[in-house]
Amino acid sequence: LQFFSSLVNKHKPWIETSYHGIITENNDTVILDPPLVALDKDAPVPFAGEICAFKIHGQEMPFEAVVLNKTSGEGRLRAKSPIDCELQKEYTFIIQAYDCGSGPSGVNWKKSHKAVVHIQVKDVNEFSPAFKESMYKATVTEGKIYDSILQVEAIDEDCSPQYSQICNYEIVTTDVPFAIDRNGNIRNTEKLNYDKQHQYEIMVTAFDCGQKHAREDVLVQVNVKPVCKPGWQDWNKRVEYKPGSGSIPLFPNIHLETCDGPVSSIHTTIELQTNYIGKGCDRETYSEKSLQKLCGASSGAIDLLPSPSATTNWTAGLLMDNNDMIFKFDGKQGAKIPDGIVPKNLTDQFTISLWMKHGPSPGLRAEKETILCNSDKTEMNRHHYALYVHNCRLVFLLRKDFDQADTFRPAEFHWKLDQICDKEWHYYVVNVEFPVVTLYMDGTTYEPYLVTNDWPIHPSHIAMQLTVGACWQGGEVTKPRFAQYFHGSLASLTIRPGKIESQKVISCLQACKEGLDINSLESLGQGVKYHFNPSQSVLVMEGDDIENINRALRKVSYINSRQFPTAGVRRLKVASKVQCFGEDVCINIPDIDAYVMVLQANEPKITISGMDHFSRPAAQFESERGVILLPDIRIVSTVTKMEHSKKNDGANKSVVLEEMLHNLDFCDVLVSGAELDPEQECLELDHTELQGKHLDATNSTAGYSIYGVDTMHNYEQVLQQIRYRNWYTSATSERKFRIKCSELNGHYTSNEFNLEVSNLLVKPFFSNTEADVLKFYTERKLTVATVVIVICVSVLIFIIAVGVYRIRTAQQHSSTDSESSKENEMDWDDSALTITVNPMEKYEKPHRAEEESEEEDDEEEDTTSAESDESEEEEDEEDEEEATVQKRGKQNLTRQEQLEWDDSTLPY
């Protein structure tokens, strides 16, 4: 059989010696060139001429070859699992063809020679480009064009050059002065300017050669560095100040860039410019009277420019800034001070103080500009004393009378100061200790540069006129008029006869409440010298080490000690000069122009509460101490704040009332309606209650005014001691008062608390002792709760009375018995009565029934509680019968006489 088989299967299969194939990744079909075909010369002999298999030789090749047609020998090469180009780009292995042998069993099969198969994996563009870095940064200097600022680079994980290579880059951000080439190099297309923009942020993408773009764009940050310019760096132009913050640093991160210049020393001036705030800076806005009390000034100062009112009406026609009590004089106005406001004799010691803002006068030879003038009212034109400005000199004139001096004496005192005409606010105090006159300007002492003498004024009987803003010319003119008008602004003009002020008080009155400060002076070190001006608005620093100056300037801060500061802008200016080692030309340091924004303080709500109505017996009003008006007054101040909270993924705002403590500057207890009649009533306060407090008080028929800067608690204590007396209560049964308090001269005011007091004018009933009378008045003082109880008891009594009435009707009591019983009930024990007969009055037609009716009415009013207690009535029955007998004896007296109370034992 073997011999026979060998005769049948004579030839081996034949295939090509090599094959080249291509397979697309993630596919199983291999395209071979040439196609896989095996031939056998034994064909068409069955089995021997047929191809049964192709076999691949190689370690774990992911391919297999299958026979498609045994007769034609066609085959196919395919992948057994997905092919990934990124894992292996090509494969090489051996393949052989096998025939079917000599029979169905496949015995005596023959195989072809070995053929080499080389397969390449075709790539699919399945990966997007990705940048190597998550972010790119570069720094360039302004004013230059760069060929390449930086290079970005992306990669692609595909295996083929077509898909793995990056063919293009692109800037996604529009309108930026940058471009990028195909290699990822970024350049600027125009010169960059640091002042215009410090930093650019651009987004860049990449494309592979299959035009697939990057899965994520990359951020490129380009920082622009200025051309090195000497100057201060890292400071903020705006500094916010929240009221109550204390001292906050102005330049916490500042440092000086010198561009490696050979600096040997530096001189820096920091200026806080506040001349447009109030009177030159943020000062207390209390009234002049309250400020002087707060600063411990001597009493007796007379305000010559008060706020217009019914009693101070001479300033009503002047131009005025209501917020700051500032009066503006335009060269056309003056005010006459009424006679009696300022005493004629100021003595040899007195003080004139004022705030003044004044600029240069127009014209080459300007006229005198009068601030204060005391001159003849009529006939003559003599100036007795005056304070005026002339050619930017401040002049004080004081002419003595002949009866005070008869020799050549100092009369005019001149000061020449730049501040007089700088259009800024300054505080002036003229202390007179004749013949010495001293000027304080902003707390600094200045002696006059010129003193001229004059003879005393001859005595006369001509009245004098005191004026402000101009001088009164009463003589040498056809019609008396004002002259020598003032141009500028004045405020807080006062004169204090008989006393001069100390420098401590003067400094307090003009002190600024805001200024520059230095945190931790001890840490400045030895190398830095510093100096403040008196108002602490200017700070000068000097040093030879730049780093020490940097540290010192970081400690400079702004402070405002007012609880309610004036909101708005405070300008800051920092000017610096440097010296260099051996350099003729040194670097220039530009000035810093910044500002402090003082935020608006939370507005307080001042609330006055307490008992708003009460009644007292007339005797208490007529007593020596009277009645305390406000025994339980309470003053509370609250501010409204917004609290932010997150709830249900949303921001909620809630309003919160928070109590705060601050000072008050006045509280008024004013009479509502007609003013007090000094012949019969008054308000009183023991002035010992003001001791130890910064408070004073004035009293008038309109009410009581307490003023001075002090705590709400101290105001409460004083208000609780104000008493009201009325020694003629029958003329006035009630009085109404209104109470109102203020902070900052009326800027913040309380509610108007209304109080009503009344006296009990009901006549007292007969009583054995004074204690009974007082008890009666006490029992008559009803409250709301008592009224409610009385109503309830009355309803109950009414129901009982209806029941008793029906029982009595059923029993059919006689009316006589009822009347007798009623008389017994209505009688009282009047054994202690004193009856005085008035022979001047007579009553006609006496009627016993009328007398008994009056007695019954009085008894019903006095014994309300007794009617509800029948057991007590029965116990007192014997006393009542005895009283009835006494009354019947008295009824025999003639009715032409009048009964009077003997009230000598009653307290009033």
Side-chain angles (χ1 to χ4, degrees):
L1 290 172
Q2 291 180 351
F3 175 76
F4 178 78
S5 299
S6 61
L7 292 176
V8 175
N9 192 7
K10 297 179 180 179
H11 302 95
K12 296 186 293 183
W14 177 90
I15 58 175
E16 298 288 344
T17 57
S18 64
Y19 294 89
H20 180 77
I22 295 176
I23 184 172
T24 302
E25 65 175 338
N26 301 323
N27 202 342
D28 64 348
T29 303
V30 179
I31 300 174
L32 286 177
D33 183 24
L36 182 59
V37 178
L39 301 176
D40 196 316
K41 291 183 178 181
D42 292 327
V45 177
F47 301 110
E50 296 176 350
I51 303 301
C52 275
F54 293 98
K55 289 186 178 182
I56 295 173
H57 302 281
Q59 294 181 353
E60 299 181 358
M61 285 294 150
F63 297 98
E64 62 180 0
V66 296
V67 177
L68 297 179
N69 191 318
K70 294 181 179 181
T71 304
S72 61
E74 293 180 36
R76 176 183 295 172
L77 187 65
R78 64 186 181 188
K80 294 188 292 183
S81 59
I83 303 299
D84 190 348
C85 179
E86 286 71 39
L87 294 178
Q88 190 168 338
K89 297 180 180 179
E90 56 185 25
Y91 297 87
T92 302
F93 52 87
I94 302 298
I95 192 172
Q96 286 182 299
Y98 290 79
D99 62 17
C100 295
S102 56
S105 61
V107 295
N108 295 325
W109 48 263
K110 292 184 182 295
K111 60 183 178 181
S112 68
H113 59 273
K114 295 179 179 180
V116 177
V117 179
H118 181 76
I119 297 177
Q120 288 183 328
V121 181
K122 184 179 180 182
D123 189 20
V124 174
N125 196 3
E126 57 183 333
F127 291 99
S128 299
F131 288 94
K132 286 186 174 182
E133 305 291 339
S134 59
M135 179 182 180
Y136 292 87
K137 288 184 178 182
T139 300
V140 297
T141 303
E142 66 175 343
K144 295 176 63 176
I145 295 291
Y146 288 82
D147 293 334
S148 177
I149 295 174
L150 79 162
Q151 183 181 25
V152 297
E153 185 178 1
I155 57 174
D156 195 310
E157 294 182 357
D158 288 312
C159 63
S160 64
Q162 179 183 5
Y163 299 138
S164 64
Q165 290 184 358
I166 306 300
C167 283
N168 194 21
Y169 292 91
E170 185 176 300
I171 294 176
V172 178
T173 307
T174 59
D175 299 327
V176 289
F178 299 97
I180 191 170
D181 62 17
R182 61 183 304 168
N183 295 319
N185 293 303
I186 297 176
R187 60 184 176 85
N188 57 318
T189 57
E190 61 184 49
K191 294 180 180 180
L192 304 180
N193 189 308
Y194 176 81
D195 294 332
K196 180 180 179 181
Q197 193 163 343
H198 295 356
Q199 185 185 83
Y200 292 88
E201 291 185 346
I202 57 177
M203 302 301 295
V204 175
T205 191
F207 294 88
D208 60 21
C209 294
Q211 291 304 304
K212 194 166 189 175
H213 64 78
R215 58 176 176 265
E216 289 184 3
D217 299 336
V218 71
L219 173 65
V220 178
Q221 192 177 83
V222 179
N223 295 308
V224 181
K225 184 176 70 174
V227 174
C228 188
K229 298 176 182 177
W232 297 103
Q233 296 184 359
D234 295 335
W235 53 272
N236 293 323
K237 188 175 183 66
R238 174 188 171 106
V239 180
E240 286 192 355
Y241 184 84
K242 185 178 180 181
S245 300
S247 179
I248 62 168
L250 296 172
F251 312 108
N253 302 309
I254 197 169
H255 69 276
L256 180 63
E257 176 62 64
T258 62
C259 298
D260 299 325
V263 175
S264 60
S265 65
I266 181 169
H267 179 282
T268 300
T269 302
I270 305 100
E271 182 181 3
L272 179 69
Q273 299 175 344
T274 59
N275 53 343
Y276 47 89
I277 301 294
K279 302 187 193 76
C281 70
D282 206 2
R283 294 181 168 93
E284 294 292 7
T285 55
Y286 296 115
S287 66
E288 187 66 19
K289 187 165 55 174
S290 296
L291 275 177
Q292 289 184 357
K293 185 71 175 177
L294 182 65
C295 290
S298 303
S299 60
I302 302 168
D303 192 355
L304 301 181
L305 286 176
S307 178
S309 67
T311 56
T312 58
N313 58 359
W314 64 86
T315 57
L318 301 178
L319 299 175
M320 180 181 175
D321 184 342
N322 290 324
N323 292 330
D324 295 302
M325 295 294 295
I326 295 170
F327 292 86
K328 299 179 179 179
F329 294 86
D330 57 1
K332 301 177 182 178
Q333 293 178 312
K336 292 182 180 180
I337 309 300
D339 295 340
I341 299 296
V342 178
K344 294 181 180 179
N345 183 13
L346 297 178
T347 75
D348 286 342
Q349 287 189 344
F350 61 92
T351 300
I352 299 173
S353 60
L354 70 148
W355 284 95
M356 182 176 73
K357 181 179 181 181
H358 181 263
S361 302
L364 296 177
R365 295 183 59 83
E367 290 188 355
K368 297 178 181 178
E369 297 181 62
T370 301
I371 299 169
L372 178 69
C373 180
N374 190 33
S375 59
D376 291 331
K377 186 176 289 188
T378 58
E379 299 181 28
M380 303 181 71
N381 190 30
R382 298 176 302 174
H383 295 182
H384 298 266
Y385 63 85
L387 183 65
Y388 60 89
V389 175
H390 188 211
N391 288 328
C392 291
R393 272 82 165 169
L394 185 67
V395 182
F396 176 64
L397 168 70
L398 180 60
R399 300 286 302 280
K400 288 288 186 178
D401 293 338
F402 253 112
D403 56 356
Q404 296 173 316
D406 58 357
T407 60
F408 213 48
R409 305 296 296 273
E412 283 190 354
F413 304 83
H414 299 250
W415 293 271
K416 183 179 180 182
L417 303 172
D418 294 337
Q419 292 88 340
I420 294 172
C421 288
D422 66 357
K423 296 182 180 180
E424 304 291 346
W425 280 105
H426 299 283
Y427 187 59
Y428 299 85
V429 177
V430 179
N431 265 356
V432 179
E433 285 184 289
F434 193 80
V436 177
V437 179
T438 304
L439 173 69
Y440 292 87
M441 196 274 294
D442 293 340
T444 304
T445 307
Y446 294 91
E447 298 296 332
Y449 81 94
L450 174 65
V451 178
T452 59
N453 297 333
D454 204 345
W455 290 102
I457 294 178
H458 290 283
S460 70
H461 298 288
I462 300 174
M464 291 179 287
Q465 178 65 62
L466 182 61
T467 56
V468 174
C471 197
W472 184 253
Q473 189 171 358
E476 302 177 2
V477 291
T478 56
K479 182 180 180 181
R481 58 181 176 83
F482 280 119
Q484 300 174 2
Y485 289 98
F486 180 75
H487 297 77
S489 297
L490 298 175
S492 304
L493 174 59
T494 64
I495 188 167
R496 179 179 285 102
K499 295 179 181 178
I500 62 171
E501 284 300 357
S502 67
Q503 187 164 5
K504 180 180 179 182
V505 171
I506 294 171
S507 298
C508 175
L509 289 171
Q510 63 89 37
C512 287
K513 294 299 180 179
E514 64 179 341
L516 299 173
D517 193 15
I518 297 179
N519 292 329
S520 61
L521 288 172
E522 63 278 0
S523 63
L524 288 182
Q526 299 287 336
V528 177
K529 299 178 181 179
Y530 67 93
H531 172 71
F532 282 104
N533 69 335
S535 63
Q536 287 195 214
S537 61
V538 177
L539 170 62
V540 178
M541 289 184 169
E542 293 182 80
D544 52 11
D545 183 84
I546 293 177
E547 189 54 39
N548 284 342
I549 290 291
N550 287 340
R551 282 196 295 267
L553 196 52
R554 290 174 196 144
K555 296 180 182 297
V556 176
S557 59
Y558 169 81
I559 187 171
N560 194 316
S561 60
R562 293 190 64 195
Q563 192 170 13
F564 305 104
T566 303
V569 170
R570 314 292 197 272
R571 296 191 185 96
L572 279 170
K573 184 175 182 180
V574 180
S576 303
K577 295 180 180 179
V578 297
Q579 291 183 346
C580 297
F581 292 104
E583 296 287 338
D584 294 336
V585 179
C586 201
I587 59 176
N588 181 42
I589 307 297
D591 293 346
I592 289 179
D593 288 315
Y595 64 93
V596 177
M597 174 58 73
V598 179
L599 303 179
Q600 183 71 48
N602 289 326
E603 183 169 342
K605 181 181 180 182
I606 307 171
T607 304
I608 303 175
S609 61
M611 181 170 57
D612 59 2
H613 177 272
F614 66 83
S615 300
R616 294 288 185 273
Q620 291 189 20
F621 288 96
E622 296 176 358
S623 66
E624 183 179 354
R625 297 291 295 174
V627 174
I628 292 179
L629 280 183
L630 305 162
D632 62 344
I633 190 170
R634 182 86 170 93
I635 305 174
V636 176
S637 183
T638 56
V639 292
T640 302
K641 292 186 176 180
M642 302 294 294
E643 284 195 352
H644 300 267
S645 61
K646 289 187 176 181
K647 188 175 182 181
N648 299 328
D649 297 331
N652 297 324
K653 295 181 179 179
S654 59
V655 178
V656 177
L657 286 179
E658 183 176 296
E659 185 173 347
M660 72 177 303
L661 298 177
H662 58 77
N663 291 328
L664 300 175
D665 58 356
F666 72 80
C667 284
D668 291 335
V669 181
L670 301 176
V671 180
S672 296
E675 293 188 357
L676 299 176
D677 184 354
E679 298 295 328
Q680 66 182 39
E681 56 183 340
C682 67
L683 290 174
E684 292 182 344
L685 174 67
D686 292 337
H687 277 257
T688 56
E689 301 294 340
L690 303 176
Q691 293 178 0
K693 303 178 178 68
H694 296 292
L695 297 177
D696 208 340
T698 58
N699 192 6
S700 69
T701 57
Y704 225 108
S705 180
I706 303 167
Y707 63 88
V709 182
D710 214 328
T711 63
M712 291 184 286
H713 176 68
N714 282 351
Y715 267 93
E716 284 179 357
Q717 287 184 325
V718 174
L719 289 171
Q720 288 169 0
Q721 301 304 319
I722 294 179
R723 305 184 307 278
Y724 171 61
R725 289 184 61 201
N726 188 330
W727 48 92
Y728 194 57
T729 54
S730 60
T732 307
S733 61
E734 66 176 17
R735 266 295 184 186
K736 294 180 179 179
F737 300 90
R738 63 183 190 274
I739 299 90
K740 198 167 188 178
C741 294
S742 153
E743 164 67 335
L744 296 179
N745 202 25
H747 188 72
Y748 302 116
T749 57
S750 71
N751 62 310
E752 189 173 275
F753 178 74
N754 294 296
L755 170 66
E756 182 177 348
V757 299
S758 58
N759 57 65
L760 299 173
L761 296 177
V762 180
K763 292 182 180 180
F765 297 103
F766 293 94
S767 177
N768 292 327
T769 63
E770 293 181 4
D772 293 333
V773 176
L774 294 176
K775 179 180 179 182
F776 163 74
Y777 279 118
T778 303
E779 292 175 349
R780 292 288 295 174
K781 181 180 177 183
L782 299 178
T783 61
V784 175
T786 306
V787 173
V788 174
I789 294 173
V790 169
I791 293 174
C792 296
V793 172
S794 299
V795 173
L796 180 60
I797 291 174
F798 175 76
I799 296 173
I800 296 173
V802 172
V804 172
Y805 172 75
R806 290 181 177 178
I807 294 173
R808 290 183 176 180
T809 303
Q811 294 176 352
Q812 296 181 350
H813 285 292
S814 64
S815 61
T816 303
D817 294 335
S818 299
E819 290 176 1
S820 176
S821 174
K822 185 176 181 181
E823 287 180 0
N824 292 335
E825 291 176 357
M826 294 303 170
D827 291 341
W828 63 73
D829 181 6
D830 58 358
S831 59
L833 287 178
T834 301
I835 302 176
T836 303
V837 178
N838 184 0
M840 300 302 296
E841 291 187 34
K842 296 182 179 180
Y843 285 86
E844 297 180 357
K845 297 180 183 181
H847 296 286
R848 175 189 178 93
E850 293 178 0
E851 180 183 359
E852 292 178 354
S853 175
E854 291 174 0
E855 292 171 353
E856 290 169 3
D857 292 341
D858 290 344
E859 188 66 13
E860 286 178 0
E861 181 178 343
D862 194 37
T863 57
T864 303
S865 61
E867 291 177 0
S868 64
D869 192 344
E870 296 180 3
S871 62
E872 294 181 3
E873 293 175 0
E874 292 175 357
E875 292 175 0
D876 296 340
E877 185 175 358
E878 295 179 6
D879 294 336
E880 292 174 355
E881 288 176 358
E882 183 180 352
T884 304
V885 173
Q886 293 177 359
K887 277 191 275 183
R888 288 174 180 172
K890 295 174 185 177
Q891 289 168 3
N892 294 327
L893 296 175
T894 175
R895 295 309 302 270
Q896 296 178 353
E897 301 169 344
Q898 180 187 13
L899 301 182
E900 291 185 352
W901 296 103
D902 180 4
D903 56 359
S904 60
T905 60
L906 295 180
Y908 285 94

